[in-house]
Amino acid sequence: MPEDASRAQRASDGNDVTARPPAERLGAGTSEAPAGPVTASPRAPVEGGERPAPPRRPGGARRSGRGRRRRVLVVSLGVVVVLGVTGLLGVGWYYTQELLTPVRYAETYPEVVRGADEDSVLLADSPAARSPGTTGLFWSEGTALLGDPAPADDGLVARELLAGTPPAAGTPARLDREGWRDPGELGLEYREVAVPTELGEAPAWLVPAEDAADTWAVLVHGRGADRTEGLRMLPALQELGVPGLLISYRNDEIAPASEDGLYHLGHSEWRDVVAAVEFALDEGAERIVLVGFSMGGALVGQTLKNSELAERVDAVVLDSPVLNWSSTLDLEADNRGMPKVFGRVAELVAGWRTGLSFADLDLLTNPPDRRPATLLLHGDEDLTVPVADSRALAARAAALDWPLEYHEFPGAEHVASWNQDRDRYEEVVREFLTRATAR
């Protein structure tokens, strides 16, 4: 914590005893100098034996005034410094509270379905209804998958119906980048399993595959998301015969809480990823593909850095990953119109609160020793995690001896490359995993 380095300076109060100049000792209060030798005249005795104090001199009064002004200035500057530091720490605490506190979202339905047929769904106009790309339509009793928007009559928005049966007109609904609530809505068999972690059992979805290979994928969602974030990856995995384990981890709503109940941004959560890898190996997997979305990418990176089981990882897929938390905080500060210094203060406060080190989590300057074949995906309209970090890692990959393949998706927002260009996304994933897992 920055220390207040200001120190109070001692100032003369004007009453210090100093040697009098000769003129004053010689009685310079008159306009004439003494004509002859000066002899001390006897002083009249004073009643009570005490002499009155000499009058205060004007020069001492001036020095006393300057001293008081100096003290006021020093105290005022000290108050300003204390208030400034307190304000910075207060903003840092608020910032880290948002960053570290687990996110809980209530299921709401802000959109309204105005009509539907076998080809399209009509929605009331809204920014979400106009957002491009593939999106999920959710309502209380079901889901459907919708395509790109198109203007319709009466200020409505029409979206192509790609899959599912739409609800009746007037149904409240919401649009979400995750297209389904569980693997069953994709027509896939799956089962709920419990992954033993050091904090307790963490629920996961195990999605088997026909003609399953001995390579399994462990899919790790991001901050504020849940297991559904990995559902978009399943069609490509199924086509390759790769079973998927979609996990939860500490401080998820359905998983055990840590002692402090806070996110550690990958600093401790990676242990739950390792527990999931151990589970997959116990269930028959021989090799592992780690898939990380957003903060899940940070968890994957820490797993590669810290676990002996990293040697069992053949390939990694990272979608909009957090590679450097400092630059991610800087981007958030820019989004809010705040100086970047608040990001540095937030780092200090986060370190005090959780013991985590942002430098240890930086995969750009502190990459893992184990660097398997990696597919890196990012949208160029991401306002949550800077695409510049993914570009930087791709540029350094060769020097790091990291076999890394980078694909950028124009117009895609955070973890929305699949939504922006579903066909290209799935083709890139299939081709990469085919090469990376070939034995």
Side-chain angles (χ1 to χ4, degrees):
M1 178 176 182
E3 294 183 356
D4 183 359
S6 63
R7 297 177 179 175
Q9 297 179 348
R10 297 179 180 174
S12 171
D13 63 2
N15 294 324
D16 293 344
V17 179
T18 57
R20 297 183 184 178
E24 290 184 353
R25 293 200 303 271
L26 296 177
T30 65
S31 59
E32 298 180 358
V38 179
T39 59
S41 59
R43 297 185 181 181
V46 179
E47 184 179 357
E50 296 182 0
R51 297 188 181 92
R56 192 180 294 270
R57 293 182 300 279
R62 285 194 298 272
R63 289 194 296 272
S64 178
R66 287 196 298 270
R68 283 195 296 271
R69 287 194 295 273
R70 192 177 298 117
R71 286 195 297 273
V72 169
L73 177 61
V74 169
V75 170
S76 299
L77 289 175
V79 169
V80 170
V81 170
V82 169
L83 290 176
V85 171
T86 302
L88 275 175
L89 292 178
V91 173
W93 185 274
Y94 173 80
Y95 209 173
T96 58
Q97 192 70 11
E98 286 196 347
L99 178 67
L100 303 177
T101 302
V103 180
R104 303 283 186 260
Y105 293 111
E107 190 160 2
T108 59
Y109 302 103
E111 312 297 329
V112 178
V113 175
R114 296 302 189 189
D117 57 29
E118 61 184 11
D119 297 318
S120 64
V121 174
L122 289 175
L123 298 166
D125 189 19
S126 72
R130 294 192 302 272
S131 66
T134 303
T135 188
L137 179 70
F138 292 75
W139 63 99
S140 60
E141 298 176 356
T143 62
L145 196 64
L146 306 181
D148 280 311
D153 295 334
D154 301 322
L156 301 178
V157 176
R159 301 193 73 124
E160 181 184 2
L161 179 62
L162 300 177
T165 302
T171 300
R174 82 171 190 275
L175 296 169
D176 205 320
R177 67 189 183 200
E178 282 82 33
W180 308 273
R181 283 193 175 94
D182 59 52
E185 293 189 351
L186 284 85
L188 300 175
E189 294 184 3
Y190 73 103
R191 59 188 175 97
E192 286 272 3
V193 297
V195 174
T197 75
E198 63 185 13
L199 298 178
E201 293 185 340
W205 287 325
L206 175 54
V207 185
E210 293 185 9
D211 302 322
D214 60 2
T215 299
W216 285 32
V218 175
L219 295 91
V220 189
H221 67 77
R223 175 184 174 277
D226 57 26
R227 295 177 293 178
T228 60
E229 193 163 52
L231 293 174
R232 291 167 289 178
M233 191 72 66
L234 290 181
L237 297 177
Q238 289 288 302
E239 188 171 330
L240 297 174
V242 176
L245 185 64
L246 292 79
I247 71 169
S248 61
Y249 51 83
R250 63 191 64 194
N251 296 314
D252 281 355
E253 190 168 4
I254 61 173
S258 63
E259 184 176 352
D260 60 10
L262 299 175
Y263 288 136
H264 287 205
L265 310 181
H267 190 257
S268 60
E269 292 88 349
W270 65 271
R271 297 186 182 95
D272 297 345
V273 179
V274 172
V277 171
E278 291 174 336
F279 179 91
L281 295 174
D282 290 343
E283 290 287 320
E286 293 293 333
R287 310 299 297 175
I288 298 294
V289 175
L290 291 179
V291 182
F293 303 89
S294 190
M295 189 176 87
L299 273 63
V300 167
Q302 294 307 301
T303 300
L304 295 176
K305 286 179 65 173
N306 298 312
S307 175
E308 294 179 357
L309 290 179
E311 295 300 323
R312 305 293 289 272
V313 177
D314 274 352
V316 168
V317 179
L318 301 175
D319 188 334
S320 311
V322 177
L323 302 174
N324 180 299
W325 277 106
S326 296
S327 58
T328 300
L329 292 179
D330 286 346
L331 177 59
E332 182 63 19
D334 286 341
N335 293 340
R336 301 184 183 203
M338 296 166 56
K340 289 183 173 61
V341 66
F342 289 119
R344 306 293 77 75
V345 175
E347 289 182 30
L348 290 173
V349 176
W352 300 333
R353 297 184 66 183
T354 64
L356 66 86
S357 165
F358 277 64
D360 288 346
L361 298 174
D362 185 354
L363 294 181
L364 296 177
T365 60
N366 193 13
D369 292 334
R370 169 67 174 163
R371 296 187 281 271
T374 298
L375 175 63
L376 180 57
L377 311 164
H378 215 130
D380 68 357
E381 293 294 326
D382 193 334
L383 295 179
T384 302
V385 173
V387 64
D389 287 350
S390 287
R391 293 169 180 165
L393 181 60
R396 298 176 191 173
L400 294 172
D401 194 25
W402 193 334
L404 186 146
E405 180 180 326
Y406 178 54
H407 292 266
E408 194 165 297
F409 288 75
E413 298 178 356
H414 186 54
V415 198
S417 296
W418 179 90
N419 305 80
Q420 187 69 19
D421 193 339
R422 180 185 179 186
D423 291 339
R424 178 189 169 205
Y425 186 98
E426 293 183 353
E427 180 181 4
V428 165
V429 171
R430 283 194 304 269
E431 291 180 354
F432 168 78
L433 290 179
T434 298
R435 294 191 303 272
T437 61
R439 296 177 62 87

